[in-house]
Amino acid sequence: MPVEFSEQNIYELLKNIYIRFKPYVENKEIDFIFTYDQEDFIACVDVENLTKVISNLLSNASKFTKDRIELILDSRNNKANTFTIIVKDNGIGIPENLQQEIFKPFYQLPDTRNSGTGLGLYLVHSIVDTCSGNVFVESTEGAGSSFYVVLPRSQSGFIQKKNESSATTYFPENKASVMQIPESLSIKETTETDRATTSLLIVEDNQEMIDFLRESLEEKFRILTAENGKAAIKVLEKNEIDLIISDIMMPEMDGVEFCNTVKSNFLWNHIPLILLTAKTNIVSKIEALEKGADAYVEKPFSISFLYAQINNLLENRKNLIRKFTETPFTSLKSIAGNKADEEFLNKVNEVIEKNISNVDFSIEQLAEELCISNSGLFAKIKNLSGMTPNKLLLLVRLKKAAELLQENRYRINEVCFMVGFNNPSYFSKCFQKQYGLLPKEFMQSRENTPQL
């Protein structure tokens, strides 16, 4: 296991973990207390791996405690040049004869078979051992457990410098593991503008997995989260979402039902949806894809692979929109991602063309003819095409103008009025801005193009 030691303020490190876990723990009506003996205690630790250790212990405690968790920093053992971090709960406790078994891989206590993968405490033990420390538990059945992590205050030598080409593996205690494996995949860099406007909704009931995905993706995307499908619906009702990443196994509304709800909803069915799951059987995959999932990623997964899936889905939509906007004869339905969107866009195009010569035709009239609200129309068109309804209306008028100009049956001024412009000069300016040619130049270019 690659590690990288650096001198850190342990109080600050634990305080940050405490602050991150506090809302999650208190939401479960659990008292969460952080105690420490000094604020300026410095030790040589691997920040990333120590964070994983404490996060796993807190996650376990939150699952098995009754109503109280304590995170304790004890730095008083100066003679031994060590310090101790304690995670304490008042939950079900662990039988004495099983207290050594829990640190073995895949081991689960008899009454906790559905609580995780049995890898969290094994990971804790592996990390602490690699850092020349010790971890043990003191527990009484029915009275709770205290996990002690004892680490050296200083390191005589680095075990191994972290190498960017090395693989690091992260095993959340709950559900299946995630594997970070650097790959030779080309990941498209996201600009600051994209980062500010591209929103990802992560639907996951495991807080550790949410934290991991947020940490991995927040530099490139705006992240919103929900603990299950039911909560995710509320997020969708209040926010514009560009892509959804959802677990399958969740309470209240699982990922498959959530996927079906999203893909059946007129306002959301265009949103690309990636399902994450530990289920690897073909029946589960078929069910997910039949409900409209755009991608299916099995756990454990490479974060690079997940990035590639996200970027591919987003880039595919951008490419469709780019082709539609830049090519005069590409139809509006070409930007549809599914049959429902294709039907909607065909209807939009039909209504606009029916009123194409009406200079006063408005978005309000379009919404009325489509039998949807103005806000619903705005959200749907904006999410589907990346442009406002007014911009889309203008673009459909210009595409119709290109068709009429190609026929070479009408003068440019006639075409201008036929597609709902009342000013030929403004029409020419809009046409040139969109296609890079004045209407007259466009007609000439079509005359010189061989027809098949």
Side-chain angles (χ1 to χ4, degrees):
M1 181 179 298
V3 293
E4 183 177 9
F5 295 116
S6 60
E7 289 192 342
Q8 297 290 330
N9 183 314
I10 304 302
Y11 160 77
E12 292 290 346
L13 192 156
L14 294 180
K15 181 183 175 182
N16 289 335
I17 298 174
Y18 170 74
I19 291 172
R20 179 163 59 86
F21 266 85
K22 198 173 192 297
Y24 167 68
V25 172
E26 292 186 344
N27 189 51
K28 301 174 73 171
E29 298 184 346
I30 298 170
D31 290 332
F32 190 20
I33 300 168
F34 174 35
T35 59
Y36 50 92
D37 56 1
Q38 59 174 305
E39 294 185 3
D40 57 354
F41 178 69
I42 305 297
C44 193
V45 297
D46 181 319
V47 175
E48 181 180 349
N49 278 315
L50 183 55
T51 300
K52 290 176 186 177
V53 166
I54 305 306
S55 296
N56 269 285
L57 294 177
L58 289 174
S59 178
N60 274 356
S62 70
K63 285 184 287 186
F64 300 122
T65 193
K66 180 181 177 182
D67 56 15
R68 180 184 175 88
I69 297 174
E70 291 181 66
L71 174 61
I72 303 166
L73 168 61
D74 183 354
S75 62
R76 294 170 297 180
N77 196 1
N78 290 326
K79 289 184 179 180
N81 196 32
T82 62
F83 67 97
T84 305
I85 300 171
I86 307 164
V87 174
K88 187 175 183 179
D89 67 68
N90 65 345
I92 60 176
I94 303 169
E96 185 176 356
N97 64 319
L98 300 178
Q99 289 178 14
Q100 295 303 313
E101 302 296 316
I102 59 175
F103 294 105
K104 295 179 180 179
F106 303 108
Y107 182 81
Q108 294 173 299
L109 293 170
D111 296 329
T112 62
R113 296 294 183 185
N114 297 319
S115 65
T117 61
L119 286 169
L121 291 177
Y122 172 66
L123 175 67
V124 166
H125 182 272
S126 299
I127 290 174
V128 173
D129 184 63
T130 300
C131 296
S132 304
N134 185 30
V135 58
F136 61 92
V137 62
E138 292 180 353
S139 183
T140 303
E141 285 189 83
S145 303
S146 296
F147 284 84
Y148 294 79
V149 177
V150 183
L151 291 167
R153 183 169 182 171
S154 60
Q155 296 287 340
S156 58
F158 292 175
I159 298 171
Q160 179 184 347
K161 277 287 188 180
K162 182 177 285 186
N163 189 327
E164 291 302 323
S165 63
S166 299
T168 59
T169 306
Y170 171 49
F171 295 101
E173 167 63 8
N174 196 12
K175 302 187 179 179
S177 61
V178 179
M179 189 168 289
Q180 291 178 276
I181 305 176
E183 299 176 1
S184 58
L185 290 174
S186 175
I187 306 301
K188 182 177 177 62
E189 287 299 320
T190 306
T191 65
E192 288 293 336
T193 302
D194 290 335
R195 187 178 305 166
T197 58
T198 304
S199 299
L200 266 58
L201 171 60
I202 298 173
V203 190
E204 168 67 66
D205 64 323
N206 179 2
Q207 186 62 38
E208 286 186 68
M209 181 68 80
I210 288 178
D211 292 340
F212 172 73
L213 290 173
R214 185 199 299 275
E215 183 179 337
S216 301
L217 301 172
E218 66 183 355
E219 288 188 6
K220 298 181 182 296
F221 307 104
R222 186 170 75 94
I223 304 296
L224 292 88
T225 64
E227 64 270 20
N228 57 54
K230 197 170 182 180
I233 296 298
K234 294 180 180 179
V235 176
L236 286 168
E237 288 172 345
K238 298 178 181 179
N239 299 273
E240 289 186 16
I241 301 298
D242 296 293
L243 186 138
I244 300 169
I245 301 171
S246 175
D247 187 28
I248 285 187
M249 299 172 65
M250 298 181 294
E252 295 196 54
M253 179 187 287
D254 65 24
V256 174
E257 184 182 355
F258 171 62
C259 178
N260 185 52
T261 301
V262 169
K263 295 301 182 178
S264 300
N265 187 289
F266 165 76
L267 293 176
W268 307 327
N269 56 18
H270 62 277
I271 303 175
L273 192 150
I274 300 173
L275 285 178
L276 303 179
T277 182
K279 291 184 176 182
T280 58
N281 62 79
I282 192 66
V283 175
S284 298
K285 294 179 183 179
I286 292 173
E287 181 185 17
L289 294 173
E290 284 180 342
K291 296 299 182 182
D294 297 274
Y296 187 101
V297 177
E298 297 176 7
K299 300 176 182 177
F301 60 85
S302 159
I303 197 66
S304 297
F305 178 72
L306 180 60
Y307 267 134
Q309 291 280 17
I310 293 170
N311 283 325
N312 284 343
L313 290 171
L314 294 176
E315 278 302 303
N316 285 343
R317 175 156 294 282
K318 288 180 183 178
N319 289 335
L320 289 175
I321 293 172
R322 190 179 299 116
K323 182 179 179 182
F324 167 68
T325 56
E326 295 177 359
T327 309
F329 304 111
T330 303
S331 66
L332 180 57
K333 69 178 182 180
S334 67
I335 62 175
N338 53 58
K339 187 174 181 181
D341 285 342
E342 184 177 333
E343 292 174 355
F344 167 72
L345 291 170
N346 277 335
K347 182 64 175 175
V348 169
N349 197 73
E350 178 185 320
V351 172
I352 293 176
E353 288 210 2
K354 185 175 70 174
N355 297 274
I356 197 80
S357 62
N358 182 359
V359 177
D360 299 318
F361 183 69
S362 66
I363 297 305
E364 289 74 16
Q365 290 172 285
L366 176 61
E368 185 178 347
E369 292 211 33
L370 293 171
C371 301
I372 60 176
S373 66
N374 291 342
S375 59
L377 178 65
F378 182 92
K380 184 67 177 180
I381 289 181
K382 185 72 166 61
N383 288 325
L384 266 177
S385 66
M387 62 187 79
T388 64
N390 279 313
K391 171 66 176 173
L392 182 68
L393 174 58
L394 174 64
L395 190 52
V396 173
R397 290 185 189 277
L398 293 173
K399 282 181 173 288
K400 186 62 178 179
E403 290 182 22
L404 295 172
L405 291 170
Q406 184 188 34
E407 293 177 9
N408 204 19
R409 294 168 53 194
Y410 310 98
R411 294 192 300 272
I412 293 175
N413 283 3
E414 290 179 303
V415 171
C416 164
F417 297 115
M418 290 171 70
V419 297
F421 285 82
N422 58 9
N423 185 316
S425 176
Y426 178 65
F427 166 67
S428 294
K429 179 185 289 187
C430 291
F431 194 93
Q432 183 182 34
K433 183 178 180 181
Q434 189 64 40
Y435 299 121
L437 296 171
L438 290 168
K440 182 178 180 180
E441 295 170 335
F442 179 81
M443 291 180 69
Q444 292 172 346
S445 70
R446 301 307 296 176
E447 290 175 358
N448 298 327
T449 300
Q451 302 296 312
L452 297 178

